[in-house]
Amino acid sequence: MSLAFDDYGRPYIILRDQGQKKRMKGLEAYKSNILAAKAIANTLQSSLGPKGMDKMLVSPDGDVSVTNDGATIVEKMEIQHPTAKLLVELSQSQDAEIGDGTTGVVVLAGKLLEQALTLLDKGIHPLKISDGFDRACDVAIKHLEQIAEEIDIQANDHEALIQAACTALGSKVVSKRKRELGKIAVTAVLDVADLTRKDVNLDLIKIQTKTGGSVEDTRLISGILIDKDMSHPQMQKEVTDAKICLLTCPFEPPKPKTKHNINISNAEDYNKLYQQEQQYFIDMVKLVKNSGANIALCQWGFDDEANHLLLQNDLPAVRWVSGTDVELIAMATGARIIPRFQEITPEKLGKAGSIKEVQFGTSNERMLVIENCQCTKAVTILIRGGSQMIVDEAKRSIHDAICVIRNLIKDNRIVYGGGSAELACALQVLQYADEVSSVEQYAVRSFADALEGIPSCLADNCGLNPITSVAQAKSRQLSEKNPRIGIDCMDLGTTDMKEQRIYETLSSKKQQIQLATQVVKMILKIDDVIAPDDY
Amino acid sequence: MDIVGNVLPQVLKDEATEDKGEMARLQSFVGAIAVADLVKTTLGPKGMDKILKPTGPGQEMTHITVTNDGATILKSMYVENPAAKILIEISKTQDEEVGDGTTTVAVLAGELLREGEKLIQKRIHPQHVIAGWRIARDVALKRLRDISSENDIKSQEFHNDLVKIARTTLSSKLITQDRDYFADLCVKAVLRLKGSSNLDYIQIIKLPGGTIRDSYLDDGFILKKQITIGCKRRIENAKILVANTAMDYDKIKIYGTKVKVNSMDKVAEIEAAEKEKMKNKVDKILKYQPTVFVNRQLIYNYPEQLLADSNITVIEHADFEGMERVAAATGAEILSTFDAPERRDQVLGHCDLIEEIMIGEEKMIKFTGCKKNEACTIVLRGSSIHILDEVDRSIHDVLCVLTTTVKNRRVVWGGGNSEMQMAAACEEEAKKVQGKQALAIEAYARALRQIPTIICDNGGYDSAELIQNFNVELQKGNLTSGLNMNDGTIGDMQELGVKECMRVKEQAVMAASEAAELIMRVDDIVKCAPRKRDRA
């Protein structure tokens, strides 16, 4: 009703331009929202698990990327439907918070919505459904904590961490080298981890990519790799016992921010100004040299003359170092970032064992490696691969693995993968359902069904019969009282995930269930969508 | 609408599309195979060339390219199919990493996918195919490493190997007639580098005119610039000062400077000061006592005259690359300030003779007897610029392969020998593997065998018969046999002297498998709406 009449029979408008807006109400709105969200979940569903497939995404400019990472897929899909966008955000918040399980969370939300749809058809009020889901979620989380096991991350050369990394890498295109890459990720994280505070600063791990070679050639460099070379082609290519001067001011005459004019009115001034300019360069280089630095890294450019003076003074220098690199180098070498030449003091210099130039392939690309830094051990993972797409995907995969390892260091409780944790929770929720005396009982039971959707989806992707394998796993979990029975995705002959050593972090699983439930609750509360017609 | 009849809401943006499952897979197979088929005819010594014609308006767009180089063809193609783009990408990477085998890598990936498609049609899950390929790839690479041999870098055998590799690489190019000549030339150039892989030191100068045979390798270093008028054209025992400095007018770099005068006298004064400043700079340069002065930037008449008066030969506008090369070859330091004449021994470059020479119609400057004798120049002659461009690309390929060989040192027999051996290894492995993967391993072997098959086909020979005979020879234990493309028989590669660089093959197999796997794993293609461009 956009038009109403007042007491005198004059029409007045309640909602402006109603004709030009699309509006959906009630059940129609619920269903439309759920279907849109489900469409996204359906796309991601086939990427779940070790035998999951990849998606090829073509950007508006025609660039191709191939990925298995849920967050990346939905981000690049250009989704315009408002409810579907909620799922994009869901995946992204899982990515930001945990870094892994971004596909799983969307698939779970999709399964929950599917259940909600049938409940709506039964005539149950949406709020009752979301209440039921909420209760079931609490039960599931509690149960997860009960079945979680603490693992000793130190034992057996950090074997547990490597296994967890392998689980994360197992579904990616790099899975054939998952063990090597897993080890690289674990070493990288342990190198920078603060084990007493149980904290890892991921900024200290730099992931650099370079096409060429194969994924096997990926390696860990115990130092920082920057994609730059020396500013002057004849500067020395290697500096040992480097004392680094980290500058954020250009080797150029200063440019005051205030607008000003220097007026020259006679030849004397002209000469004076010239001499002053020359002096600037000499002073700048002298200030750096006198501080004892033997290499200068600068965020900005150099004037030709300054560049040569640096060479003449045996002071190798690098220009246009990116801001993030500058910060990383500062953290690793203990250098203070110096914004003015006048403020250079010997204490502000950073120290590193060596800095040298390395070359790759036939094209003339050189990079600088800074090794044995004084403070924290910053590390770089150099990813190689046959093409840009592989390298990009490998980078995303390694990022996931690193996140998993970090989460384990923070909280060393794990649950077992292969759908076993979801199944165990489903059973628990189902048991709880019977205790609920109100309408919510149905919603709680549906929640359990939705949880079962994950193992069934896993089985489906692996070419197993989803119904039989889930039923088998469920009955074995009940009869053997073993919450570790899952789906044997890799065809290894055992369904006990402890034997298969499929580790997932408790925090990730918990987060998945909570986030998915939250989003579903939010979608279920929408009963009216008003949008411009041409949207 | 879905199956039940619910109207599905539109989820993606207006022009975005999503293809799933079979449709997606079909698209990627078609695209990848089309690209492979396109470049496949250029493979091998009897491969054909392609003409690339740019599209679009304007005179500058009419420049065509004739080439046999896979990477060049693929780079210039405009394709929309995402899988085809992946193939182009690996070809580019191959070019950057080893410089040759750019066609092979695209064809191999395409053939793998062609075989993969057949397996998919037999209802084998892509993940099983990938699992098989992974096994096959490792087996193939192991065999490749096993059959490769290594010679000591200083030995005569290694030198011979290099010549043979260069000949093999050149045999598929335009200059195949003169391959002995060019093979020798390239090997000499690469050996001058003494193990370094910096191709910057080898300069290639292209000059239309004459025939391909007139191309030559010059020991010295040639700069495609002219000596300024009024200077000596021939300098013996030259002391060279290389500079990167402004020699036009030295602008004041301090920000916000303006000249404001109130009388004509003052203008004259400032002009004089400016002149004086330039003279000072020249005086400073003179203190270094060079006999030749090379600058990156322009030199105005006034300083040029001052320098010429002091009997210094001036070369201006040598651009970055030329300046760096001169500096590297003569051992000079590139100067931008001139306040330390006491370091003159360190900063001045040296060479025995600098002279102006004529190549064809053009005057150039030649530096002979440089301090660091690494740099050299290959002068290419030919009847048209298209030929020269193609020769340039071929020579670049050869130089890349040779430097890669110098680094890696391992060589294998050519003529399809390595591919056939790798295929044989895969087939042996397939017999041992249980499960569906074995089918994929066999498919991998077939794809590898396609490479020699295509080479035969391109030569117009009966590939089915030749490949079978080839296989029999290998089974008999003649491990050096291979395709003799001159008379269409199976010959002994040792006698024919056909060798290839192991690293090139290795990289091709690795990159092609990775790309094929990447494409195989896709089951869903989402295309975003193309970005709208505002027509100006």
Side-chain angles (χ1 to χ4, degrees):
Chain A
M1 277 288 269
S2 60
L3 203 64
F5 297 92
D6 65 4
D7 293 347
Y8 304 99
R10 287 177 306 204
Y12 62 95
I13 295 165
I14 299 172
L15 263 170
R16 248 182 127 59
D17 301 331
Q18 181 70 353
Q20 288 156 32
K21 285 191 176 122
K22 222 166 34 184
R23 184 163 179 196
M24 271 185 295
K25 281 194 285 190
L27 207 55
E28 188 199 4
Y30 288 121
K31 284 197 173 164
S32 156
N33 286 340
I34 289 176
L35 284 173
K38 255 183 66 189
I40 302 296
N42 276 341
T43 301
L44 285 194
Q45 196 165 311
S46 63
S47 285
L48 195 72
K51 295 280 168 86
M53 305 295 278
D54 288 1
K55 310 278 172 259
M56 196 182 265
L57 302 151
V58 186
S59 81
D61 299 319
D63 298 329
V64 180
S65 47
V66 177
T67 180
N68 184 284
D69 182 55
T72 316
I73 298 173
V74 289
E75 187 201 325
K76 295 199 172 176
M77 263 173 83
E78 276 205 341
I79 289 160
Q80 70 157 16
H81 195 282
T83 332
K85 269 190 184 152
L86 286 176
L87 265 84
V88 177
E89 275 160 33
L90 166 70
S91 186
Q92 274 160 359
S93 58
Q94 172 86 9
D95 195 35
E97 187 70 20
I98 305 289
D100 181 43
T102 49
T103 315
V105 69
V106 176
V107 174
L108 183 60
K111 295 284 172 201
L112 282 172
L113 286 169
E114 203 173 301
Q115 294 297 331
L117 200 62
T118 29
L119 292 176
L120 281 174
D121 281 343
K122 279 186 187 144
I124 299 176
H125 192 273
L127 282 184
K128 292 276 176 201
I129 302 175
S130 68
D131 272 357
F133 281 178
D134 218 11
R135 286 201 203 171
C137 176
D138 288 345
V139 174
I141 299 291
K142 243 181 233 145
H143 189 63
L144 265 185
E145 277 173 9
Q146 272 169 18
I147 60 169
E149 289 177 23
E150 278 195 21
I151 50 158
D152 182 4
I153 52 170
Q154 307 276 0
N156 208 352
D157 224 6
H158 303 100
E159 183 58 30
L161 290 183
I162 298 178
Q163 281 303 332
C166 286
T167 309
L169 290 170
S171 60
K172 314 286 182 187
V173 71
V174 292
S175 60
K176 73 182 153 183
R177 298 289 160 211
K178 61 179 174 188
R179 197 155 171 95
E180 287 89 334
L181 293 181
K183 262 189 193 155
I184 287 178
V186 170
T187 331
V189 175
L190 287 175
D191 271 353
V192 301
D194 184 347
L195 287 178
T196 44
R197 273 179 52 224
K198 291 193 170 186
D199 192 23
V200 185
N201 186 353
L202 288 188
D203 288 342
L204 290 174
I205 303 177
K206 194 180 167 194
I207 304 183
Q208 183 81 42
T209 59
K210 178 88 185 63
T211 53
S214 163
V215 177
E216 282 104 282
D217 300 332
T218 299
R219 56 194 161 133
L220 183 71
I221 295 167
S222 53
I224 303 165
L225 194 71
I226 46 176
D227 197 358
K228 289 278 173 299
D229 52 8
M230 296 293 178
S231 61
H232 196 288
Q234 288 163 327
M235 281 175 181
Q236 62 194 95
K237 306 287 181 216
E238 196 172 340
V239 182
T240 43
D241 284 330
K243 293 190 187 61
I244 302 162
C245 178
L246 208 54
L247 292 164
T248 52
C249 46
F251 269 93
E252 278 164 15
K255 283 182 186 166
K257 296 228 167 51
T258 6
K259 216 171 173 189
H260 68 291
N261 276 322
I262 302 171
N263 287 334
I264 301 171
S265 50
N266 55 43
E268 203 181 323
D269 286 356
Y270 181 84
N271 284 331
K272 233 191 249 167
L273 200 66
Y274 174 69
Q275 267 150 22
Q276 198 177 357
E277 179 192 297
Q278 297 297 307
Q279 201 56 42
Y280 266 132
F281 293 127
I282 295 169
D283 287 348
M284 274 189 257
V285 177
K286 203 184 268 170
L287 280 168
V288 178
K289 190 75 187 171
N290 285 353
S291 68
N294 55 10
I295 183 162
L297 302 181
C298 181
Q299 201 179 351
W300 301 98
F302 300 169
D303 192 87
D304 280 343
E305 290 181 42
N307 201 2
H308 174 252
L309 278 175
L310 286 167
L311 172 74
Q312 198 169 314
N313 283 299
D314 261 338
L315 198 68
V318 185
R319 56 185 152 185
W320 300 120
V321 180
S322 75
T324 44
D325 284 346
V326 167
E327 277 169 29
L328 188 62
I329 294 167
M331 268 194 279
T333 63
R336 293 271 298 279
I337 299 174
I338 307 168
R340 294 271 179 281
F341 283 99
Q342 288 72 23
E343 286 163 28
I344 303 176
T345 54
E347 303 86 63
K348 287 182 181 170
L349 300 181
K351 290 188 187 65
S354 78
I355 298 180
K356 61 178 174 218
E357 236 180 54
V358 286
Q359 194 186 357
F360 299 98
T362 60
S363 52
N364 264 319
E365 281 182 65
R366 299 185 185 90
M367 291 186 181
L368 279 179
V369 187
I370 306 176
E371 279 175 322
N372 296 331
C373 302
Q374 165 189 250
C375 288
T376 37
K377 273 196 75 186
V379 292
T380 308
I381 300 176
L382 177 67
I383 299 177
R384 310 295 313 269
S387 66
Q388 193 59 46
M389 293 97 186
I390 298 244
V391 173
D392 287 346
E393 175 67 353
K395 182 177 177 178
R396 285 188 285 265
S397 313
I398 288 190
H399 174 257
D400 278 11
I402 287 174
C403 287
V404 169
I405 301 163
R406 176 199 59 183
N407 295 341
L408 269 183
I409 289 177
K410 272 189 181 163
D411 178 355
N412 64 347
R413 284 176 298 171
I414 54 149
V415 290
Y416 292 93
S420 64
E422 283 88 352
L423 265 185
C425 289
L427 289 171
Q428 188 66 26
V429 170
L430 214 53
Q431 212 179 358
Y432 166 74
D434 296 334
E435 294 164 22
V436 182
S437 56
S438 53
V439 194
E440 283 94 335
Q441 193 189 79
Y442 280 83
V444 174
R445 204 169 279 144
S446 301
F447 191 89
D449 286 344
L451 280 175
E452 271 174 33
I454 297 277
S456 114
C457 181
L458 269 180
D460 202 15
N461 287 348
C462 303
L464 301 167
N465 184 334
I467 298 172
T468 18
S469 33
V470 172
Q472 267 169 10
K474 226 160 95 177
S475 73
R476 278 192 59 196
Q477 276 211 3
L478 273 180
S479 59
E480 294 171 27
K481 298 255 177 301
N482 180 356
R484 297 183 300 270
I485 304 289
I487 308 292
D488 179 17
C489 296
M490 301 305 287
D491 210 14
L492 293 176
T494 168
T495 49
D496 191 329
M497 290 301 132
K498 196 173 186 176
E499 281 170 40
Q500 284 211 10
R501 312 223 275 189
I502 309 289
Y503 298 162
E504 285 185 61
T505 56
L506 172 68
S507 49
S508 161
K509 247 319 97 92
K510 253 165 74 179
Q511 188 85 10
Q512 270 188 6
I513 297 180
Q514 277 166 339
L515 281 178
T517 315
Q518 261 177 37
V519 165
V520 169
K521 271 168 61 189
M522 192 196 269
I523 294 178
L524 282 176
K525 280 193 91 145
I526 305 168
D527 76 336
D528 199 340
V529 181
I530 305 170
D533 201 19
D534 54 352
Y535 192 66
Chain B
M1 241 184 280
D2 69 0
I3 319 155
V4 207
N6 287 322
V7 180
L8 286 179
Q10 186 187 5
V11 177
L12 296 174
K13 263 196 185 162
D14 266 351
E15 283 169 60
T17 54
E18 184 178 2
D19 291 301
K20 288 188 179 192
E22 290 303 307
M23 278 308 289
R25 223 167 263 138
L26 192 71
Q27 257 193 48
S28 20
F29 286 143
V30 168
I33 293 173
V35 166
D37 281 348
L38 184 103
V39 286
K40 154 167 134 174
T41 53
T42 62
L43 206 64
K46 301 278 164 99
M48 305 299 275
D49 289 2
K50 303 252 178 272
I51 287 187
L52 306 171
K53 190 175 168 293
T55 52
Q59 278 291 314
E60 73 281 3
M61 300 299 264
T62 52
H63 179 80
I64 59 157
T65 315
V66 183
T67 184
N68 181 284
D69 183 49
T72 313
I73 301 174
L74 292 176
K75 245 186 272 175
S76 348
M77 263 178 13
Y78 178 76
V79 292
E80 212 166 323
N81 188 296
K85 277 192 183 142
I86 293 181
L87 254 62
I88 293 174
E89 185 69 32
I90 54 166
S91 183
K92 262 193 238 167
T93 315
Q94 176 87 4
D95 194 32
E96 278 162 25
E97 186 71 11
V98 289
D100 191 38
T102 50
T103 315
T104 316
V105 69
V107 172
L108 187 58
E111 290 303 328
L112 274 173
L113 287 169
R114 197 195 300 276
E115 293 293 337
E117 190 182 12
K118 285 181 204 155
L119 294 177
I120 301 276
Q121 274 164 8
K122 285 184 197 157
R123 319 296 307 159
I124 293 174
H125 195 270
Q127 291 285 3
H128 280 127
V129 179
I130 290 169
W133 282 354
R134 284 179 178 176
I135 300 171
R137 189 196 83 132
D138 290 345
V139 171
L141 284 178
K142 189 173 172 295
R143 174 64 64 94
L144 183 69
R145 281 168 200 147
D146 286 348
I147 59 170
S148 64
S149 58
E150 190 175 352
N151 277 322
D152 185 61
I153 194 149
K154 289 207 177 69
S155 66
Q156 185 60 36
E157 286 84 33
F158 185 69
H159 185 255
N160 291 347
D161 276 356
L162 285 181
V163 176
K164 283 172 188 163
I165 290 171
R167 276 171 43 104
T168 315
T169 312
L170 282 171
S171 62
S172 62
K173 312 284 179 189
L174 189 70
I175 43 178
T176 174
Q177 289 305 320
D178 301 309
R179 61 180 169 185
D180 292 330
Y181 181 71
F182 280 103
D184 198 44
L185 192 147
C186 292
V187 171
K188 273 190 191 141
V190 168
L191 285 179
R192 283 177 79 103
L193 294 178
K194 300 191 186 79
S196 125
S197 59
N198 194 345
L199 286 180
D200 279 352
Y201 287 126
I202 303 178
Q203 192 192 8
I204 299 181
I205 291 182
K206 294 178 279 187
L207 279 177
T211 66
I212 293 179
R213 260 288 156 118
D214 295 335
S215 308
Y216 63 95
L217 176 77
D218 206 298
D219 303 341
F221 164 80
I222 294 177
L223 192 67
K224 218 174 156 181
K225 289 284 174 275
Q226 287 181 23
I227 294 178
T228 313
I229 299 156
C231 298
K232 270 204 286 182
R233 310 266 139 194
R234 188 185 154 86
I235 305 103
E236 275 171 45
N237 218 349
K239 292 193 174 56
I240 306 156
L241 185 88
V242 184
N244 173 18
T245 185
M247 291 295 271
D248 33 12
Y249 65 100
D250 225 351
K251 66 166 185 260
I252 300 169
K253 287 165 186 165
I254 293 173
Y255 189 66
T257 319
K258 248 186 196 169
V259 178
K260 242 184 200 166
V261 285
N262 45 18
S263 73
M264 279 309 284
D265 297 350
K266 294 263 168 75
V267 177
E269 266 175 40
I270 285 177
E271 212 184 330
E274 213 170 41
K275 219 168 177 181
E276 188 60 28
K277 186 173 149 192
M278 189 46 75
K279 180 144 182 7
N280 282 339
K281 198 168 189 177
V282 173
D283 284 344
K284 278 188 204 162
I285 292 169
L286 289 177
K287 282 209 185 112
Y288 282 83
Q289 298 168 343
T291 50
V292 178
F293 178 73
V294 183
N295 192 19
R296 178 180 78 81
Q297 301 169 27
L298 273 177
I299 304 177
Y300 268 19
N301 290 350
Y302 176 62
E304 189 179 290
Q305 178 211 332
L306 286 176
L307 288 166
D309 284 350
S310 323
N311 231 346
I312 294 175
T313 303
V314 181
I315 302 167
E316 61 170 351
H317 218 287
D319 64 51
F320 274 111
E321 228 178 291
M323 173 187 78
E324 280 179 25
R325 276 208 189 111
V326 172
T330 61
E333 198 172 278
I334 300 171
L335 299 186
S336 295
T337 60
F338 307 95
D339 293 319
E342 66 280 359
R343 291 176 70 241
R344 60 182 293 265
D345 291 334
Q346 273 168 277
V347 299
L348 289 188
H350 178 268
C351 85
D352 291 343
L353 178 68
I354 298 178
E355 59 183 336
E356 198 173 61
I357 51 162
M358 293 278 288
I359 305 175
E361 300 286 284
E362 275 189 70
K363 278 186 197 159
M364 292 185 188
I365 307 164
K366 185 173 156 186
F367 298 70
T368 23
C370 299
K371 201 179 190 176
K372 286 187 187 158
N373 211 4
E374 286 172 3
C376 59
T377 306
I378 297 175
V379 180
L380 295 179
R381 308 300 312 273
S383 49
S384 82
I385 194 73
H386 296 141
I387 293 185
L388 284 177
D389 283 346
E390 175 64 357
V391 175
D392 179 18
R393 277 189 290 270
S394 313
I395 297 281
H396 177 257
D397 277 11
V398 177
L399 292 177
C400 287
V401 174
L402 289 179
T403 44
T404 313
T405 320
V406 170
K407 253 196 276 179
N408 181 272
R409 302 226 292 279
R410 302 201 77 89
V411 291
V412 290
W413 298 110
N417 179 294
S418 52
E419 283 89 358
M420 291 295 280
Q421 295 233 37
M422 283 192 272
C426 291
E427 270 171 3
E428 282 159 31
E429 182 69 22
K431 285 172 194 153
K432 294 181 218 152
V433 172
Q434 280 195 335
K436 287 176 255 193
Q437 289 94 314
L439 288 175
I441 300 176
E442 280 170 12
Y444 197 94
R446 279 198 296 279
L448 278 171
R449 207 161 275 157
Q450 276 299 310
I451 300 275
T453 312
I454 293 168
I455 294 179
C456 281
D457 283 340
N458 286 347
Y461 301 123
D462 184 353
S463 60
E465 176 148 339
L466 268 178
I467 296 300
Q468 177 54 27
N469 294 349
F470 191 171
N471 217 0
V472 172
E473 284 297 317
L474 284 179
Q475 288 296 324
K476 274 195 221 155
N478 298 333
L479 292 181
T480 56
S481 52
L483 295 172
N484 179 346
M485 287 304 288
N486 291 329
D487 39 11
T489 53
I490 302 299
D492 188 352
M493 290 296 116
Q494 200 160 10
E495 277 167 31
L496 291 168
V498 182
K499 283 198 172 184
E500 279 174 292
C501 171
M502 200 274 289
R503 178 80 188 102
V504 174
K505 293 272 168 222
E506 192 184 26
Q507 175 69 26
V509 170
M510 287 198 292
S513 320
E514 263 174 18
E517 188 181 314
L518 195 66
I519 296 173
M520 198 60 151
R521 281 175 64 99
V522 170
D523 77 333
D524 195 317
I525 301 179
V526 181
K527 280 194 197 133
C528 295
R531 198 183 297 283
K532 296 267 186 303
R533 285 195 183 78
D534 296 324
R535 298 256 168 193

Coordinates of all heavy atoms in Angstrom, one line a residue, chain A residues 98-101 161 164-165 167-168 398-411 503-505 507-508:
Chain A
I98 N 40.1 -17.0 10.8 CA 40.7 -18.2 10.9 C 41.7 -18.5 9.7 O 42.8 -19.0 9.9 CB 39.7 -19.4 10.9 CG1 38.7 -19.2 12.1 CG2 40.3 -20.7 11.1 CD1 39.2 -19.3 13.4
G99 N 41.2 -18.1 8.5 CA 42.1 -18.3 7.4 C 41.9 -19.6 6.6 O 42.3 -19.7 5.5
D100 N 41.2 -20.5 7.2 CA 40.9 -21.8 6.6 C 39.5 -22.2 6.8 O 38.8 -21.6 7.6 CB 41.9 -22.8 7.1 CG 41.7 -24.2 6.5 OD1 41.6 -24.2 5.2 OD2 41.7 -25.2 7.2
G101 N 39.0 -23.1 6.0 CA 37.6 -23.6 6.2 C 36.6 -22.6 5.6 O 35.4 -22.6 5.9
L161 N 51.8 -30.7 13.6 CA 51.6 -29.4 12.8 C 51.7 -29.7 11.3 O 50.9 -29.2 10.5 CB 52.7 -28.4 13.2 CG 52.6 -27.8 14.6 CD1 53.7 -26.7 14.7 CD2 51.2 -27.2 14.7
A164 N 48.5 -31.3 10.1 CA 47.4 -30.3 10.0 C 47.6 -29.5 8.8 O 46.7 -29.2 8.0 CB 47.4 -29.4 11.3
A165 N 48.9 -29.1 8.5 CA 49.1 -28.3 7.3 C 48.8 -29.1 6.0 O 48.2 -28.6 5.1 CB 50.6 -27.9 7.2
T167 N 46.6 -31.5 5.8 CA 45.1 -31.5 5.7 C 44.6 -30.3 5.0 O 43.8 -30.4 4.1 CB 44.4 -31.6 7.1 OG1 45.1 -32.7 7.8 CG2 43.0 -31.9 7.0
A168 N 45.1 -29.1 5.3 CA 44.7 -27.9 4.7 C 45.1 -27.9 3.2 O 44.4 -27.4 2.4 CB 45.3 -26.7 5.4
I398 N 49.2 -21.9 0.6 CA 50.2 -21.8 1.6 C 49.7 -20.9 2.7 O 49.9 -21.1 3.9 CB 51.6 -21.4 1.0 CG1 52.1 -22.6 0.3 CG2 52.6 -21.0 2.1 CD1 53.5 -22.5 -0.2
H399 N 49.1 -19.8 2.3 CA 48.5 -18.9 3.3 C 47.5 -19.6 4.2 O 47.6 -19.5 5.4 CB 47.8 -17.7 2.6 CG 47.1 -16.8 3.5 ND1 45.7 -16.9 3.7 CD2 47.5 -15.9 4.4 CE1 45.4 -16.0 4.6 NE2 46.5 -15.4 5.1
D400 N 46.7 -20.5 3.6 CA 45.8 -21.3 4.4 C 46.5 -22.2 5.4 O 46.2 -22.2 6.6 CB 44.9 -22.2 3.5 CG 43.7 -21.4 2.9 OD1 43.7 -20.2 3.0 OD2 42.9 -22.1 2.3
A401 N 47.5 -22.8 4.9 CA 48.3 -23.8 5.7 C 48.9 -23.0 6.9 O 48.9 -23.4 8.0 CB 49.4 -24.5 4.9
I402 N 49.5 -21.8 6.6 CA 50.1 -21.0 7.6 C 49.1 -20.6 8.7 O 49.4 -20.7 9.9 CB 50.8 -19.8 7.0 CG1 52.0 -20.2 6.2 CG2 51.2 -18.8 8.1 CD1 52.7 -19.1 5.5
C403 N 47.9 -20.3 8.3 CA 46.9 -19.9 9.2 C 46.5 -21.0 10.1 O 46.4 -20.9 11.4 CB 45.6 -19.4 8.5 SG 45.8 -17.8 7.7
V404 N 46.4 -22.3 9.6 CA 46.1 -23.4 10.4 C 47.2 -23.6 11.4 O 46.9 -23.9 12.6 CB 46.0 -24.7 9.5 CG1 45.9 -25.9 10.3 CG2 44.8 -24.5 8.6
I405 N 48.4 -23.5 11.0 CA 49.5 -23.8 12.0 C 49.5 -22.7 13.1 O 49.6 -23.0 14.3 CB 50.9 -23.8 11.2 CG1 50.9 -24.9 10.2 CG2 52.0 -24.0 12.2 CD1 51.9 -24.7 9.2
R406 N 49.2 -21.5 12.7 CA 49.2 -20.4 13.7 C 48.1 -20.7 14.7 O 48.2 -20.6 15.9 CB 48.9 -19.1 13.0 CG 48.7 -18.0 14.0 CD 48.0 -16.8 13.5 NE 46.7 -17.1 13.0 CZ 45.9 -16.2 12.3 NH1 46.3 -15.0 12.2 NH2 44.7 -16.6 11.9
N407 N 46.9 -21.1 14.2 CA 45.8 -21.4 15.1 C 46.1 -22.5 16.0 O 45.7 -22.5 17.2 CB 44.5 -21.8 14.3 CG 44.0 -20.6 13.5 OD1 44.4 -19.5 13.7 ND2 43.3 -20.9 12.4
L408 N 46.9 -23.5 15.6 CA 47.3 -24.6 16.4 C 48.2 -24.2 17.5 O 48.2 -24.7 18.6 CB 47.9 -25.8 15.6 CG 46.9 -26.8 15.1 CD1 47.7 -27.9 14.4 CD2 46.2 -27.4 16.3
I409 N 49.1 -23.3 17.2 CA 50.0 -22.8 18.2 C 49.3 -22.0 19.2 O 49.6 -22.1 20.4 CB 51.1 -21.9 17.5 CG1 52.0 -22.9 16.7 CG2 52.0 -21.2 18.5 CD1 53.1 -22.2 15.9
K410 N 48.3 -21.2 18.8 CA 47.5 -20.5 19.7 C 46.7 -21.4 20.6 O 46.5 -21.2 21.8 CB 46.5 -19.6 19.0 CG 47.1 -18.2 18.6 CD 46.0 -17.3 18.1 CE 46.6 -16.0 17.7 NZ 45.6 -15.3 16.8
D411 N 46.1 -22.4 20.0 CA 45.2 -23.3 20.8 C 45.4 -24.7 20.2 O 45.1 -25.0 19.1 CB 43.8 -22.8 20.5 CG 42.7 -23.7 21.2 OD1 43.2 -24.7 21.7 OD2 41.5 -23.4 21.1
Y503 N 43.8 -33.8 10.6 CA 43.6 -32.9 11.7 C 43.0 -31.6 11.3 O 43.4 -31.0 10.3 CB 45.0 -32.6 12.4 CG 45.7 -33.8 13.0 CD1 47.1 -33.7 13.2 CD2 45.1 -35.0 13.2 CE1 47.8 -34.7 13.7 CE2 45.8 -36.0 13.8 CZ 47.1 -35.9 14.0 OH 47.8 -37.0 14.5
E504 N 42.0 -31.2 12.1 CA 41.5 -29.8 11.9 C 41.5 -29.1 13.2 O 41.4 -29.7 14.2 CB 40.1 -29.8 11.2 CG 40.1 -30.2 9.8 CD 38.8 -30.1 9.2 OE1 38.2 -29.0 9.1 OE2 38.2 -31.1 8.7
T505 N 41.6 -27.8 13.2 CA 41.7 -27.1 14.5 C 40.3 -26.9 15.0 O 39.3 -26.7 14.3 CB 42.3 -25.7 14.3 OG1 41.6 -25.0 13.3 CG2 43.8 -25.8 13.9
S507 N 39.3 -24.5 16.8 CA 38.8 -23.1 16.6 C 38.2 -22.9 15.3 O 37.1 -22.2 15.2 CB 40.0 -22.1 16.8 OG 41.1 -22.5 16.0
S508 N 38.8 -23.5 14.2 CA 38.2 -23.3 12.9 C 36.8 -24.0 12.8 O 35.9 -23.4 12.3 CB 39.1 -24.0 11.9 OG 38.5 -24.2 10.7

